[in-house]
Amino acid sequence: MTALRRRKGKKPQNSEPQSEENKEKKSNETEECSNTENLNLNPGCSSSSSTSSSSSRRRKWSCVDSCCWFIGCICSLWWFMLFLYNAMPASFPQYVTEAITGPLPDPPGVKLAKEGLQAKHPVVFVPGIVTGGLELWEGHSCAEGLFRKRLWGGTFGEVYKRPLCWVEHMSLDNETGLDPPGIKIRPVSGLVAADYFAPGYFVWAVLIANLARIGYEDKNMYMAAYDWRISFQNTEVRDQTLSRIKSNIELMVATSGGKKVVVVPHSMGVLYFLHFMKWVEAPAPMGGGGGPNWCAEHIKAVMNIGGPFLGVPKAVSGLFSAEAKDIAIARAVAPGVLDMDVFGFFQTLQHVMRMTRSWDSTMSMIPKGGDTIWGGLDWSPEEGHACSSKKKKNGQTSGHNKTGDLANSVRIKYGRLLSFGKDVADLHSSEIEMVDFRGAIKGNNLANITCRDVWTEYHDMGIGGVKAVADYKVYTANSILDLLHFVAPKMMKRGDEHFSYGIADDLDDKKYDEYKYWSNPLETKLPNAPEMEIFSMYGVGIPTERAYIYKFSPATECYIPFQIDTSAEGGEGGPCLKGGVYSVDGDETVPVLSAGYMCAKGWRGKTRFNPSGIRTFIKEYRHAPPATLLEGRGTQSGAHVDIMGNFALIEDIIRVAAGATGEEIGGDQVYSDILKWSDRIKLKL
Amino acid sequence: MGSILRFRKLCFLEPVKSSSHDEKTKSEGKKISEAPKIDDQKTCQSATTLLLEEKAKQKKQKKIPREWRCIDSCCWTIGYLCTTWWLLLFLYQCLPANLPGLRAPEPPGARLRREGLTPLHPVVLVPGIVTGGLELWEGRPCSDGLFRRRLWGGSFTEIFKRPMCWLEHLSLDNETGLDPPGIRVRAVPGLVAADYFAPGYFVWAILIENLARIGYEGKNMYMAAYDWRLSFQNTEMRDQSLSRLKSKIELMYVTNGFKKVVVVPHSMGVIYFLHFMKWVESPPPMGGGGGPDWCSKHIKAIMNIGPTFLGVPKTVGNILSAESKDVAFIRAMAPGLLDSEILGLQTLEHVMRVSRTWDSIISLLPKGGETIWGNLDWSPEEDHVCASTKKKHLKGNSTDSRRGFQELESTNYGRIVSFGKKASELHSSELSTLNSPKQVSLSNGNSQVPNASCGKVWTEYDEVSWERISKIVENKAYTVETMLDLIRSIAPKMMKRAEAHFSHGIADNLDDPKYDHYKYWSNPLETKLPNAPDMEIYCLYGVGIPTERSYVYKLSPSGRCRSNIPLQIDSSAGGSQNGCLKGGVYFVDGDETVPVLSAGFMCAKGWRGKNRFNPSGIHTYVREYKHKAPANFLEGRGLESGGHVDIMGNVALIEDVLRVAAGASGVEIGGDRIYSDIMKMSEKINIRV
């Protein structure tokens, strides 16, 4: 009531002068009342008659009043709920879940703790691209107040508040691939770097929590956070990240009584750690000077999760037109949204492209091994793959009818990573007219300086160049490299210094001591560590991008001249072709071939890539979407990031960390056709 | 009724109409004939005619509108406040970051960068007690959902939500001083461990930011976070914190082009790092096995901020009765609040129980005995004049610092604990005669001790008989040395546990092999500095704030649970002639926590030149920062503060740290800088160096 009184007390001041006007206004108010009457939403009208003295005054603030009332109501309700939520015992959600879905299985950590497992080997996590947090250490004036705040990861609040500033800070220098002058973005360090990518979106958190259950803590877990934007060797040059990882592994081995570490890299971290293993044994100054036995002395096992050993086709489309399946769909559904020029500065894709093209690391994931691995114009290792049966497999649990519809499915030419037009994608190679683009003159500039400051190298490429690219029609893994060199010469020049995509003929060649080869498993030997174990753990059963059908963008001022042809569907490609993308089995990002080949064949036994005969294991996890909403992202997911919450995978990791060997956790576990596909690849081993 | 109310709340539609109608009919019935009123009603009537029939049915419920209106106006108020708040927040967000009026003074880092300073030496930050965050790794069922959340530091929300659970998890084991079974609470690693203690309350953040301005970043800055509850050697036993620190320093030394590190410890971190320096050069397994040259090879300078070299008298008050100045003050203002048992809260008892399981607190007890801290009739600070300190405090310069102290009697600071104000002032020869009969009778009267009646709060006072306590009280005055005996007698278990890790004496012969034991490593009076002639040691601390030095105690008023904490500070004791006694606490110059003597003596005398504590002649510098309260509200906690923690935002101190990190030597930044009487006090201390 006091509030009411205050309200009354306040009003007279502003309404008194108007009280004389009331009579004149009456007629207006009548209208007001009758107007709002339809909506039945006029408290002022009603309350005017309620309190006899201030009826006319009420009218004045009826609209604001009801707004305030409404907001207050919502707020109070919200607070009340919040209070209830806070007062709720922590075990309540679990209780509800159990009531609905029946008793949940114990999380693997709890289960294994009951079995008596204890922390034994220190664990090192190597996060992948994108998932690690980045924070600001020095910035331009537009980034004031963001010191040591996350620019990448966390809530991404700054993307919306100052998008251009954000893009500017996240980009690297075009020439050097390092920080632009005056900007310092550094990786967040510690477990917090990649436990959650955004609030509620776990990456490593579930694994960490489960490891903690059997006794792991900060002293025997280490997150090897690095700046995932720059090339692997540059992380050492700029931040000494590799030295830091080396020192930390040595420290953990020393303080845990000589127990070797178990390394768990994820996604691009797999390549990064491959690079690390070569770096650490190479002599200083290029390497870490750890001596030829460093890996044998310090590493028990490398448990690669979803490792893009041989690259990811997605990277090609990402570099070529800054789009992947999801973006292509967004474009199809709402054409124009992404290309909008409404705000003058809102050229989303162009900005994204400019930013990602300045990141060297994306080039580490261009498909490696060329046509030998990824297939030529008329051949590819996965060609018998049938997508329709996969759908069914998803629902069921076993895929026994895999071969059933193999006969009538058309052989998709996955080897053609890029084709211009759907018809070209289906034709036999002899029928395609290819005009070589390599010598093409790039001609006059497509759109000169009209495109403001968005820098993509397409501006340097004239119409002639664009046309030449399209005239070549079809690109395989080999010619893709030439294509990228053609459309983005500067970027590729930078990238060529740090990465290589070929297959080594003679691994003992002196040139392979160069660090650019270290992250390519086909151009390096594994370290001399016969007791080490390498696991390849990845999800299967999700359609994964493998090849693309492109078309010209509708000609406008200054866009990326190519885009995925989302209209290309079905037809001869069968269900594997959707929205211009041919998909194949994998974990939604990495195709099975890339994740599994090295462990299935390339490194199996004593080969030239694996001279000391390190044992390799393939652990596949079939994707099963979460049964109910309550499960969140699922405990049996096989997706590239969600697999980090897969109970079976976590259990395997914990067992190995607690001392088990690859045989003890069951050896290979294969659901896909990876072994068959590997056999089709003719690579000298 | 209820359903209608709910209905109204939900849709706000017809109930409104009906209420208006009800009121209207009511007012019509009363025939109030205010012209505008009726007009209004008419308009409304016309507006609501459609619904009239329905409403006629609800005529009887006349009370409802009134109730509804109350909720309504509440909602209105809340909504109004919220909207205003959001609007302000929005405006604040839209505000350009550097509005001319609000422009903060230029941070020292930016200025020094313009001068051309660049990072040279890697920096190691060693946080002190209490300021480091602690997070949960494994806990009891009551701590569900707190995995890897901060229990200490941050917003402390858990204290309010589940206080007993929180206390249980922060306590350590009584016997071992390590984790209780089933609980693992660990230090938060990284710079985030102690950059902010609570949201908005900086500790290291300002220093970090300024270091970053001249180019420091994660690779050449390291926060040596450790679990500050444990004894120093136990941090190595359990977490390998010392090994980790050694490895990090070595790594930074190598990756930064073989540049030695500059170490910046704060508060208890100072003696932690002292311990580290001995540990790292000692042979394994007790030490780190770095060899005798490790420190000289890896460390350029140690810039101790607010160092607690010789201990802190506050700790005594803390251990005896879990209170210090602030707590005593609260007790004086609102007697009973802290002791109230209404809520089942025995706040102080719980605090005492938890903090007594923390070994590290014992490391802060005054060291050096009567030689340093004075005896019954003598103390190094005895000439200190507090009244003028107050003035200095306000003015900011010390022109009148020694005016008028000759007419004042000197304070017996040496009596670190005395029972009754009188006992603190009399000459020692008269002390024994002061056994007042009243005290004796009191002790006789309350001879029965309520034993296990006070719940499960464990403080060792349960096991101390009342006779013992009354005897303690009869003794009247305690010096630092007898005070240690006092604590041993009332808390034998704690002292037994802790004295395996810490020592508080002065060494006669430093070459005695017994001093190789780790319990001596954190006491500067029982260790030699490492053999590192190029190293520099700085003592950086604030002066000009009254700092607790000794206490006047009394027996607690007897109550049901008196057995828990039988002693408390006599907050009624105040106003000695020279104004040093306030609320039962004698004050001296310092930074609010550490007296000048403890912070400055080692650098001013103990280690100055080549002496037995400093055999290689490491250079020492005393740099004092006079406290100046923030001039206006915008300055926050002040740019020239000398407070124990606030000094981390002191511009002059930051500048000194930055300059040394960028390569300057102690002489280049100006050598000693002294405002207090530390030199005079040090002279008075008769110690063989």
Side-chain angles (χ1 to χ4, degrees):
Chain A
M1 282 321 278
T2 51
L4 181 68
R5 216 160 284 141
R6 201 191 312 152
R7 202 165 119 206
K8 277 187 205 160
K10 251 185 205 169
K11 294 308 155 191
Q13 293 167 358
N14 38 19
S15 54
E16 252 170 355
Q18 293 162 349
S19 58
E20 289 90 27
E21 301 162 20
N22 271 337
K23 284 158 198 164
E24 290 107 70
K25 274 195 178 175
K26 246 176 280 161
S27 53
N28 297 340
E29 279 160 11
T30 319
E31 276 165 33
E32 232 176 80
C33 241
S34 52
N35 283 344
T36 46
E37 192 269 339
N38 296 336
L39 297 167
N40 282 346
L41 242 175
N42 194 355
C45 186
S46 56
S47 57
S48 60
S49 48
S50 63
T51 34
S52 46
S53 59
S54 63
S55 57
S56 60
R57 288 165 198 161
R58 277 287 161 97
R59 184 70 55 78
K60 286 284 164 296
W61 29 272
S62 61
C63 182
V64 181
D65 189 26
S66 53
C67 273
C68 285
W69 183 90
F70 186 67
I71 290 168
C73 216
I74 301 269
C75 278
S76 320
L77 213 65
W78 175 250
W79 288 333
F80 184 65
M81 301 281 272
L82 213 68
F83 174 76
L84 279 187
Y85 178 77
N86 272 307
M88 183 178 71
S91 55
F92 187 69
Q94 202 195 345
Y95 180 78
V96 170
T97 314
E98 277 181 15
I100 295 172
T101 63
L104 290 176
D106 268 344
V110 175
K111 190 178 105 196
L112 296 174
K114 280 182 197 150
E115 275 183 32
L117 261 63
Q118 279 185 332
K120 190 172 172 196
H121 297 277
V123 177
V124 176
F125 307 116
V126 188
I129 195 167
V130 171
T131 48
L134 298 173
E135 59 189 12
L136 182 81
W137 278 86
E138 187 185 333
H140 292 160
S141 51
C142 70
E144 205 159 322
L146 295 181
F147 176 67
R148 284 184 61 221
K149 297 267 168 68
R150 282 196 184 196
L151 286 192
W152 187 271
T155 54
F156 284 99
E158 296 312 318
V159 182
Y160 306 106
K161 270 166 125 179
R162 18 193 161 174
L164 279 183
C165 183
W166 184 81
V167 167
E168 181 187 353
H169 281 79
M170 285 299 295
S171 302
L172 293 168
D173 192 279
N174 280 328
E175 306 287 325
T176 61
L178 293 170
D179 292 317
I183 292 178
K184 267 194 203 170
I185 302 271
R186 295 290 178 265
V188 177
S189 64
L191 291 176
V192 285
D195 55 351
Y196 289 93
F197 175 60
Y201 189 86
F202 72 83
V203 181
W204 293 90
V206 178
L207 183 58
I208 291 171
N210 279 293
L211 280 167
R213 298 265 189 187
I214 67 161
Y216 279 93
E217 54 188 72
D218 205 60
K219 68 176 173 185
N220 42 19
M221 273 197 284
Y222 170 62
M223 178 77 73
Y226 57 98
D227 188 339
W228 45 262
R229 300 171 304 156
I230 60 182
S231 74
F232 303 157
Q233 191 68 11
N234 274 343
T235 61
E236 170 67 11
V237 171
R238 197 191 70 182
D239 300 336
Q240 286 86 41
T241 312
L242 296 173
S243 300
R244 195 174 295 246
I245 296 173
K246 174 172 175 255
S247 153
N248 265 302
I249 291 180
E250 284 168 354
L251 172 70
M252 289 203 295
V253 170
T255 54
S256 64
K259 301 268 186 317
K260 299 181 200 172
V261 298
V262 170
V263 185
V264 188
H266 173 235
S267 184
M268 193 179 78
V270 168
L271 301 177
Y272 189 71
F273 196 74
L274 219 54
H275 186 95
F276 172 80
M277 284 199 289
K278 293 302 284 184
W279 172 86
V280 76
E281 299 200 338
M286 202 200 281
N293 290 321
W294 195 94
C295 291
E297 281 161 11
H298 291 90
I299 301 175
K300 169 187 153 65
V302 184
M303 308 193 75
N304 303 297
I305 302 177
F309 284 109
L310 303 176
V312 187
K314 230 180 197 175
V316 173
S317 63
L319 288 172
F320 192 59
S321 63
E323 60 189 349
K325 193 178 60 180
D326 323 317
I327 289 182
I329 287 174
R331 180 173 271 165
V333 172
V337 174
L338 287 168
D339 311 297
M340 244 184 334
D341 217 358
V342 185
F343 301 108
F345 55 83
F346 211 69
Q347 299 163 304
T348 321
L349 278 191
Q350 281 81 352
H351 279 292
V352 169
M353 177 178 256
R354 181 178 66 135
M355 186 168 78
T356 50
R357 280 205 176 171
S358 71
W359 296 345
D360 283 347
S361 61
T362 48
M363 282 178 276
S364 73
M365 299 208 285
I366 293 174
K368 290 165 188 167
D371 293 0
T372 318
I373 300 289
W374 295 93
L377 284 176
D378 292 316
W379 164 90
S380 77
E382 294 115 320
E383 55 191 353
H385 180 67
C387 300
S388 55
S389 64
K390 201 174 354 124
K391 267 276 139 71
K392 270 183 242 154
K393 263 199 293 185
N394 263 353
Q396 305 167 0
T397 35
S398 63
H400 45 78
N401 60 347
K402 223 183 302 174
T403 44
D405 42 7
L406 183 71
N408 52 4
S409 74
V410 188
R411 306 208 143 190
I412 298 161
K413 300 175 179 67
Y414 286 119
R416 301 173 185 180
L417 281 182
L418 278 188
S419 12
F420 280 89
K422 184 172 164 249
D423 41 342
V424 180
D426 298 335
L427 283 176
H428 190 266
S429 62
S430 56
E431 300 165 47
I432 302 173
E433 249 183 89
M434 291 200 284
V435 183
D436 201 349
F437 64 92
R438 291 175 185 91
I441 303 152
K442 290 189 175 176
N444 53 332
N445 280 5
L446 187 62
N448 256 339
I449 318 132
T450 49
C451 296
R452 284 166 209 97
D453 45 10
V454 182
W455 179 89
T456 60
E457 286 187 79
Y458 282 121
H459 298 174
D460 302 337
M461 209 171 84
I463 297 164
V466 172
K467 198 149 181 335
V469 166
D471 280 346
Y472 191 67
K473 303 286 186 209
V474 170
Y475 297 88
T476 63
N478 272 349
S479 45
I480 275 270
L481 283 175
D482 297 328
L483 171 65
L484 288 173
H485 273 108
F486 183 74
V487 299
K490 281 187 200 155
M491 173 187 77
M492 288 306 282
K493 182 164 161 269
R494 228 171 50 222
D496 280 347
E497 287 168 21
H498 291 283
F499 301 105
S500 167
Y501 315 101
I503 298 178
D505 287 327
D506 174 17
L507 280 165
D508 294 321
D509 195 328
K510 273 275 168 290
K511 78 169 185 178
Y512 288 116
D513 292 341
E514 181 75 27
Y515 61 79
K516 69 185 254 193
Y517 299 104
W518 288 346
S519 58
N520 181 355
L522 298 172
E523 290 180 303
T524 48
K525 285 189 269 190
L526 284 180
N528 179 26
E531 283 167 26
M532 204 166 97
E533 289 176 330
I534 296 182
F535 295 81
S536 199
M537 321 171 87
Y538 53 90
V540 294
I542 309 184
T544 307
E545 296 169 52
R546 175 66 170 82
Y548 300 91
I549 294 179
Y550 266 87
K551 66 171 182 189
F552 279 115
S553 307
T556 26
E557 248 186 283
C558 51
Y559 294 134
I560 301 165
F562 310 106
Q563 65 181 48
I564 292 174
D565 182 6
T566 44
S567 63
E569 287 271 357
E572 271 191 285
C576 289
L577 177 61
K578 247 192 206 137
V581 180
Y582 284 103
S583 48
V584 77
D585 200 8
D587 69 357
E588 201 164 15
T589 300
V590 184
V592 166
L593 188 70
S594 175
Y597 175 74
M598 289 317 289
C599 282
K601 193 165 172 214
W603 286 334
R604 186 78 18 132
K606 248 184 194 162
T607 67
R608 67 191 181 107
F609 299 110
N610 179 8
S612 62
I614 295 171
R615 273 154 305 152
T616 60
F617 300 93
I618 293 188
K619 296 290 244 181
E620 292 185 349
Y621 302 89
R622 203 204 303 285
H623 176 73
T628 64
L629 198 67
L630 290 166
E631 264 185 45
R633 286 154 67 200
T635 55
Q636 298 175 54
S637 176
H640 191 59
V641 175
D642 294 355
I643 199 174
M644 310 282 279
N646 187 312
F647 278 8
L649 176 130
I650 292 174
E651 183 176 333
D652 286 343
I653 291 176
I654 293 180
R655 283 191 188 279
V656 172
T661 63
E663 276 89 23
E664 281 164 18
I665 63 166
D668 284 354
Q669 172 181 319
V670 180
Y671 296 105
S672 71
D673 296 335
I674 179 68
L675 296 173
K676 202 171 72 190
W677 293 341
S678 302
D679 280 337
R680 290 199 195 137
I681 294 173
K682 288 167 201 66
L683 179 68
K684 181 165 72 89
L685 294 173
Chain B
M1 277 284 268
S3 64
I4 290 166
L5 262 174
R6 209 174 306 133
F7 181 58
R8 276 178 185 181
K9 216 177 156 187
L10 282 176
C11 15
F12 200 86
L13 304 178
E14 293 183 24
V16 172
K17 298 294 168 203
S18 74
S19 68
S20 72
H21 178 71
D22 289 347
E23 290 292 324
K24 201 184 311 159
T25 48
K26 181 182 161 194
S27 58
E28 272 173 355
K30 285 180 182 175
K31 280 170 184 140
I32 296 165
S33 53
E34 258 177 82
K37 180 84 213 235
I38 285 164
D39 282 344
D40 253 11
Q41 280 164 5
K42 273 181 187 163
T43 59
C44 270
Q45 210 163 0
S46 67
T48 54
T49 33
L50 287 174
L51 292 163
L52 267 175
E53 289 84 18
E54 291 172 43
K55 287 164 216 153
K57 292 168 196 163
Q58 299 174 357
K59 259 189 180 179
K60 290 146 208 162
Q61 301 162 349
K62 281 187 182 174
K63 282 270 158 81
I64 298 159
R66 181 85 0 131
E67 281 175 79
W68 170 76
R69 204 135 281 131
C70 180
I71 299 168
D72 181 30
S73 49
C74 277
C75 285
W76 182 88
T77 318
I78 292 168
Y80 185 72
L81 289 176
C82 281
T83 318
T84 320
W85 175 249
W86 287 333
L87 199 72
L88 286 175
L89 213 68
F90 178 75
L91 283 179
Y92 178 76
Q93 293 281 330
C94 291
L95 211 69
N98 38 11
L99 203 70
L102 291 172
R103 181 145 209 150
E106 191 181 26
R111 197 179 73 235
L112 293 175
R113 182 191 191 138
R114 259 189 281 112
E115 272 183 34
L117 260 63
T118 49
L120 186 69
H121 298 280
V123 173
V124 176
L125 313 172
V126 187
I129 197 168
V130 172
T131 47
L134 300 174
E135 60 187 11
L136 182 79
W137 278 87
E138 185 183 338
R140 301 267 154 79
C142 71
S143 66
D144 243 4
L146 295 181
F147 176 67
R148 286 185 58 222
R149 297 276 170 76
R150 283 195 183 199
L151 288 189
W152 188 270
S155 52
F156 283 101
T157 41
E158 295 310 318
I159 302 186
F160 306 108
K161 274 164 105 180
R162 25 194 158 173
M164 292 313 289
C165 183
W166 184 79
L167 283 172
E168 183 188 354
H169 283 81
L170 274 181
S171 302
L172 294 169
D173 192 277
N174 279 329
E175 306 287 325
T176 59
L178 294 170
D179 292 319
I183 292 179
R184 279 188 290 155
V185 174
R186 296 289 180 268
V188 176
L191 290 176
V192 286
D195 54 350
Y196 289 93
F197 175 59
Y201 188 88
F202 72 82
V203 181
W204 292 91
I206 306 266
L207 183 60
I208 292 172
E209 194 179 332
N210 280 295
L211 281 166
R213 281 191 195 269
I214 66 165
Y216 279 90
E217 54 184 275
K219 69 175 175 184
N220 42 20
M221 208 169 5
Y222 174 64
M223 175 80 74
Y226 57 98
D227 189 336
W228 46 262
R229 300 170 304 158
L230 301 185
S231 77
F232 303 155
Q233 192 69 9
N234 275 344
T235 62
E236 170 66 11
M237 294 292 155
R238 197 192 71 181
D239 300 337
Q240 285 86 44
S241 300
L242 297 173
S243 301
R244 196 171 292 247
L245 177 55
K246 174 174 176 245
S247 152
K248 286 287 178 204
I249 291 180
E250 285 168 352
L251 173 70
M252 290 204 293
Y253 174 68
V254 172
T255 54
N256 288 287
F258 302 97
K259 292 280 179 300
K260 298 183 197 176
V261 299
V262 170
V263 185
V264 188
H266 173 236
S267 186
M268 190 179 81
V270 168
I271 46 180
Y272 186 73
F273 196 74
L274 215 57
H275 186 96
F276 171 79
M277 284 198 292
K278 293 301 284 183
W279 173 87
V280 76
E281 298 198 340
S282 301
M286 206 197 278
D293 293 331
W294 197 93
C295 289
S296 75
K297 191 179 161 201
H298 291 96
I299 301 175
K300 170 188 151 68
I302 304 172
M303 310 200 69
N304 303 299
I305 300 177
T308 57
F309 281 121
L310 302 177
V312 185
K314 224 180 200 176
T315 329
V316 177
N318 226 309
I319 290 174
L320 279 184
S321 62
E323 61 189 349
S324 55
K325 189 184 61 179
D326 321 317
V327 172
F329 185 69
I330 292 173
R331 180 172 270 163
M333 293 292 284
L337 180 69
L338 287 170
D339 311 296
S340 71
E341 284 161 51
I342 307 166
L343 304 168
L345 288 176
Q346 298 164 302
T347 321
L348 281 189
E349 283 80 356
H350 280 296
V351 169
M352 175 178 262
R353 181 181 62 125
V354 172
S355 61
R356 278 203 179 174
T357 66
W358 297 344
D359 283 342
S360 59
I361 293 206
I362 308 299
S363 75
L364 294 175
L365 281 176
K367 290 164 189 167
E370 294 179 6
T371 319
I372 301 287
W373 295 94
N375 56 23
L376 285 177
D377 292 317
W378 167 89
S379 76
E381 297 113 321
E382 54 192 354
D383 298 334
H384 180 69
V385 182
C386 301
S388 65
T389 321
K390 261 277 134 78
K391 267 185 242 151
K392 262 201 292 185
H393 205 194
L394 295 172
K395 280 188 193 164
N397 62 11
S398 61
T399 47
D400 57 348
S401 66
R402 52 194 66 193
R403 192 215 306 160
F405 74 82
Q406 51 270 59
E407 71 253 42
L408 293 172
E409 199 178 302
S410 61
T411 317
N412 292 320
Y413 285 117
R415 301 174 190 182
I416 196 151
V417 171
S418 27
F419 286 90
K421 189 183 163 206
K422 245 185 182 170
S424 70
E425 286 166 353
L426 285 174
H427 192 264
S428 61
S429 56
E430 299 166 54
L431 263 181
S432 49
T433 63
L434 200 87
N435 276 342
S436 74
K438 191 190 155 210
Q439 292 280 9
V440 175
S441 67
L442 183 95
S443 67
N444 287 341
N446 285 22
S447 57
Q448 96 277 32
V449 185
N451 250 341
S453 61
C454 293
K456 46 191 192 305
V457 183
W458 181 90
T459 60
E460 283 187 86
Y461 280 121
D462 295 345
E463 290 150 39
V464 180
S465 72
W466 193 248
E467 283 74 22
R468 186 101 140 269
I469 286 167
S470 54
K471 247 191 217 119
I472 286 167
V473 174
E474 277 167 39
N475 201 1
K476 292 300 166 206
Y478 292 87
T479 66
V480 170
E481 269 167 36
T482 49
M483 182 270 310
L484 279 178
D485 293 332
L486 167 66
I487 293 176
R488 274 186 207 113
S489 81
I490 60 169
K493 281 189 200 153
M494 174 185 74
M495 287 304 278
K496 187 163 157 264
R497 203 181 64 225
E499 291 206 310
H501 289 282
F502 299 106
S503 166
H504 302 94
I506 298 180
D508 288 327
N509 176 14
L510 279 164
D511 293 323
D512 193 328
K514 82 166 183 179
Y515 288 115
D516 292 341
H517 192 269
Y518 60 77
K519 73 184 242 190
Y520 300 104
W521 289 347
S522 58
N523 181 353
L525 299 172
E526 291 179 304
T527 47
K528 287 190 269 190
L529 284 179
N531 177 29
D534 294 332
M535 206 166 91
E536 289 174 330
I537 295 181
Y538 297 81
C539 290
L540 316 164
Y541 53 90
V543 294
I545 309 186
T547 306
E548 295 167 55
R549 174 68 169 80
S550 56
Y551 299 91
V552 177
Y553 262 88
K554 66 173 183 190
L555 280 171
S556 307
S558 50
R560 193 170 65 80
C561 261
R562 220 41 317 118
S563 70
N564 280 335
I565 303 182
L567 310 172
Q568 62 173 234
I569 293 175
D570 182 6
S571 46
S572 65
S576 66
Q577 300 98 315
N578 53 7
C580 286
L581 178 61
K582 248 194 207 136
V585 181
Y586 281 101
F587 292 97
V588 77
D589 200 7
D591 68 357
E592 202 164 15
T593 298
V594 186
V596 166
L597 184 70
S598 172
F601 175 73
M602 290 316 289
C603 286
K605 190 175 174 205
W607 286 332
R608 189 75 19 133
K610 236 183 206 173
N611 60 33
R612 68 190 185 109
F613 296 114
N614 181 8
S616 61
I618 296 171
H619 291 281
T620 61
Y621 302 94
V622 177
R623 306 234 356 131
E624 295 183 345
Y625 303 89
K626 201 195 302 293
H627 175 75
K628 206 168 138 197
N632 58 40
F633 186 68
L634 286 172
E635 271 183 36
R637 285 156 66 200
L639 304 171
E640 290 171 73
S641 174
H644 189 58
V645 174
D646 294 356
I647 199 174
M648 310 280 277
N650 185 309
V651 173
L653 178 131
I654 290 174
E655 186 176 333
D656 285 349
V657 173
L658 256 53
R659 282 191 189 280
V660 172
S665 69
V667 179
E668 281 162 20
I669 64 167
D672 283 352
R673 161 179 158 155
I674 296 175
Y675 297 100
S676 71
D677 297 335
I678 179 68
M679 286 309 192
K680 212 171 65 189
M681 290 180 205
S682 304
E683 281 313 309
K684 284 193 198 150
I685 291 174
N686 187 17
I687 187 174
R688 186 168 60 85
V689 294

